[in-house]
Amino acid sequence: MTRLTSGSRCSLSVILWSLVGCLLIFHLRTFLYDKEDQDEVTDMAIRYNPQFRELEEVEEENIQVPSPRGRRSPRAAKRRPRKVHTSLIEEYLDESSLLRHIFFPDQKTAIDPMKDIGNDTFYFYPGRIWLDTEGNPIQAHGGGILYDERKKMYYWYGEFKDGRTYHAHKGGAARVDVIGVGCYSSKDLWKWKNEGIVLPAEEKNETHDLHKLNVLERPKVIYNDRTGKYVMWMHIDDTNYTKASVGVAISDSPTGPFDYLYSKRPHGFDSRDMTIFKDDDGVAYLIYSSEDNSELHVGPLDREYLDVAGDMRRVLVGQKREAPALFKHHGTYYMITSGCTGWAPNEALAHAAESIMGPWETIGNPCIGGNKIFRQTTFFSQSTFVLPLPGLPGYFIFMADRWNPADLRDSRYVWLPLTVRGPVDQPLDYNFGFPLWSRVSVYWHKKWRLPYGHGRREE
């Protein structure tokens, strides 16, 4: 009878565990290869599908700055020289511009999904008035979309700005009294039902965060699978933008009503433009502009999504970016931001990171098409959200606002196809090397639609 020594038992144990490890590695590699094969098959199907190729076609714009209007006498010219617009940005900001109809098309071109419009059905028209199912312009500015898996429904939340635009004081920013957060529901991302104001303003209590003379911007909603609650985060401020806080509200239903809880300065820092992002593992994060918009801060929320969890990282330090819109693709985090130029549109930048907590690298302007000034102004809009398209890896909807500072209720929506594919064409700043992640591209279209069957869900 052979007796096993302790050394023999140890050797046998090592062999057994080695075999287990090999089997696990084999199954993992098989899983990864299967996933890669599936992604490659999907990518090939997309690449050769005419409907998908249309999304990546480049459309150009040829807009000429108009010459000064009318003749002036030599005496008048000497007395006060006429101001001549030198750029499309100035034309965009001038409510009397001859190009106004290009940036803000009138009611005659409004998109009304409730009418039988034949070949225009399901087409998005960036910049046009977009009507809800009741025939009223959609009021969901600075917003974001939640897809509710339980209800199989999209919910679009945003600033309800259906009020008079004015300046709180001389030289102050254009504003509308707080009315509340609007909510719209849809099964196809094109036909939106008004679910009402799910978080209303406070009319009488001047000390309340939601008093009508304060500021409520960029509301975003996520669902907490553990608590079964819908949680809304938003930028809360006073008339002079000195409060610089986030606000939190909660509801049992995606259509509210939401109960407002409190406001605070997250991590003890000022917070203005912000968003929240729910990761694949259920952990949610707050991302906000801070230190007078000179940098962004990123940090996880607690398990209930009702407060920050303590940890925070500074990212894009000194770059002066705002309007963050985050999304994830194949394990890489991407973000689109805008510069800080008030109501004037500016150049969007895309950023990427292997960890949501950073470091984040800037990978260039994602805008493609239009013309140079269109690309340098993010198609005369500002980012607010990026919506993944189910079943279409690498395809998203880029959501942005085309602000109308002369009449904020008439601000428009710019939705465009966004893809993550192909190599990045801009080197990293710190070493002039090219990153491994893919390029983010937002394609300009005067009109476009989702490939048939995608984004449209059965009744």
Side-chain angles (χ1 to χ4, degrees):
M1 182 176 180
T2 303
R3 298 182 60 185
L4 291 174
T5 64
S6 58
S8 301
R9 288 195 298 272
C10 182
S11 299
L12 183 60
S13 176
V14 169
I15 292 172
L16 289 173
W17 280 112
S18 298
L19 290 173
V20 171
C22 289
L23 288 172
L24 288 174
I25 291 173
F26 174 78
H27 285 296
L28 178 62
R29 287 175 62 87
T30 302
F31 170 78
L32 291 175
Y33 283 137
D34 286 345
K35 187 176 185 305
E36 289 177 0
D37 290 342
Q38 292 173 4
D39 290 342
E40 186 175 346
V41 169
T42 302
D43 187 65
M44 291 287 288
I46 289 173
R47 189 177 303 172
Y48 293 103
N49 186 320
Q51 288 185 307
F52 288 97
R53 290 205 304 270
E54 288 178 6
L55 299 183
E56 299 182 22
E57 290 179 354
V58 176
E59 290 191 36
E60 298 298 332
E61 294 283 353
N62 183 22
I63 302 174
Q64 300 295 325
V65 176
S67 58
R69 286 161 281 181
R71 287 189 170 186
R72 308 181 71 207
S73 68
R75 181 179 298 176
K78 289 180 180 180
R79 192 168 54 242
R80 187 176 180 185
R82 177 187 291 273
K83 180 181 178 182
V84 178
H85 291 305
T86 58
S87 73
L88 283 178
I89 294 179
E90 289 178 303
E91 293 290 341
Y92 168 83
L93 295 173
D94 181 4
E95 57 185 301
S96 64
S97 169
L98 294 177
L99 300 179
R100 191 73 177 170
H101 66 285
I102 294 176
F103 304 116
F104 300 98
D106 61 23
Q107 184 77 29
K108 296 178 182 178
T109 65
I111 304 304
D112 188 352
M114 299 307 293
K115 291 184 178 179
D116 183 6
I117 53 180
N119 292 334
D120 279 347
T121 302
F122 289 111
Y123 272 96
F124 300 106
Y125 284 83
R128 287 195 187 182
I129 295 173
W130 195 351
L131 305 180
D132 62 22
T133 56
E134 298 173 357
N136 299 313
I138 294 173
Q139 291 288 334
H141 311 285
I145 290 181
L146 166 73
Y147 178 68
D148 193 321
E149 292 283 355
R150 301 185 310 163
K151 299 180 181 295
K152 306 300 180 185
M153 186 79 71
Y154 293 99
Y155 294 94
W156 183 4
Y157 304 89
E159 305 161 33
F160 198 92
K161 288 186 175 294
D162 196 16
R164 179 178 66 89
T165 298
Y166 67 96
H167 294 260
H169 53 82
K170 186 177 181 180
R175 54 168 285 123
V176 172
D177 282 347
V178 177
I179 299 174
V181 176
C183 175
Y184 296 81
S185 62
S186 175
K187 288 184 177 295
D188 58 18
L189 295 172
W190 191 69
K191 185 185 297 182
W192 293 93
K193 175 187 176 184
N194 185 0
E195 299 288 353
I197 296 176
V198 296
L199 180 67
E202 170 60 43
E203 289 287 333
K204 298 179 179 179
N205 184 358
E206 295 183 4
T207 65
H208 198 284
D209 285 341
L210 302 184
H211 185 259
K212 63 181 182 180
L213 295 181
N214 288 329
V215 171
L216 188 167
E217 296 176 336
R218 299 189 171 270
K220 304 293 187 294
V221 176
I222 53 176
Y223 178 71
N224 191 308
D225 300 278
R226 196 176 69 85
T227 64
K229 302 288 186 180
Y230 297 84
V231 184
M232 179 187 298
W233 284 67
M234 69 213 86
H235 170 207
I236 293 294
D237 229 314
D238 54 23
T239 303
N240 297 319
Y241 282 83
T242 59
K243 188 177 182 70
S245 300
V246 291
V248 184
I250 192 170
S251 176
D252 293 323
S253 166
T255 56
F258 280 79
D259 296 321
Y260 186 76
L261 301 180
Y262 69 97
S263 69
K264 70 179 294 185
R265 285 194 164 194
H267 311 107
F269 292 91
D270 61 294
S271 171
R272 291 183 172 84
D273 277 11
M274 47 67 61
T275 191
I276 48 177
F277 175 81
K278 181 180 176 182
D279 210 342
D280 303 330
D281 58 4
V283 178
Y285 296 83
L286 172 68
I287 303 92
Y288 58 97
S289 296
S290 191
E291 299 287 6
D292 293 325
N293 288 345
S294 66
E295 61 190 40
L296 294 181
H297 292 178
V298 182
L301 304 182
D302 62 18
R303 297 181 65 190
E304 287 74 31
Y305 302 167
L306 300 181
D307 200 355
V308 291
D311 192 17
M312 181 273 287
R313 299 286 174 84
R314 291 177 165 89
V315 301
L316 305 184
V317 176
Q319 297 191 33
K320 297 184 179 180
R321 308 302 297 175
E322 63 179 10
L326 271 77
F327 58 104
K328 188 177 182 181
H329 177 60
H330 283 179
T332 298
Y333 299 88
Y334 295 92
M335 175 167 56
I336 295 180
T337 64
S338 85
C340 303
T341 55
W343 296 116
N346 57 66
E347 182 181 39
L349 290 177
H351 317 271
E354 294 180 1
S355 166
I356 193 171
M357 299 292 281
W360 285 83
E361 303 288 356
T362 300
I363 56 176
N365 184 341
C367 299
I368 296 177
N371 56 29
K372 184 178 180 181
I373 189 62
F374 264 57
R375 294 188 291 273
Q376 290 178 342
T377 59
T378 318
F379 313 117
F380 291 91
S381 67
Q382 184 183 42
S383 53
T384 184
F385 197 75
V386 175
L387 177 67
L389 291 177
L392 292 178
Y395 280 81
F396 305 78
I397 294 179
F398 171 71
M399 296 171 52
D401 295 282
R402 180 173 290 175
W403 298 111
N404 183 352
D407 185 6
L408 288 170
R409 85 179 83 189
D410 191 37
S411 298
R412 308 298 177 84
Y413 310 104
V414 174
W415 286 23
L416 292 167
L418 180 153
T419 65
V420 182
R421 50 195 289 143
V424 171
D425 56 9
Q426 177 171 314
L428 299 175
D429 292 334
Y430 64 87
N431 66 1
F432 303 102
F434 286 84
L436 297 178
W437 38 68
S438 299
R439 175 184 170 81
V440 176
S441 302
V442 178
Y443 297 89
W444 170 250
H445 292 271
K446 296 177 182 177
K447 60 178 283 189
W448 69 283
R449 63 177 175 177
L450 296 171
Y452 182 77
H454 295 283
R456 309 173 202 171
R457 301 189 179 265
E458 298 298 328
E459 297 291 339

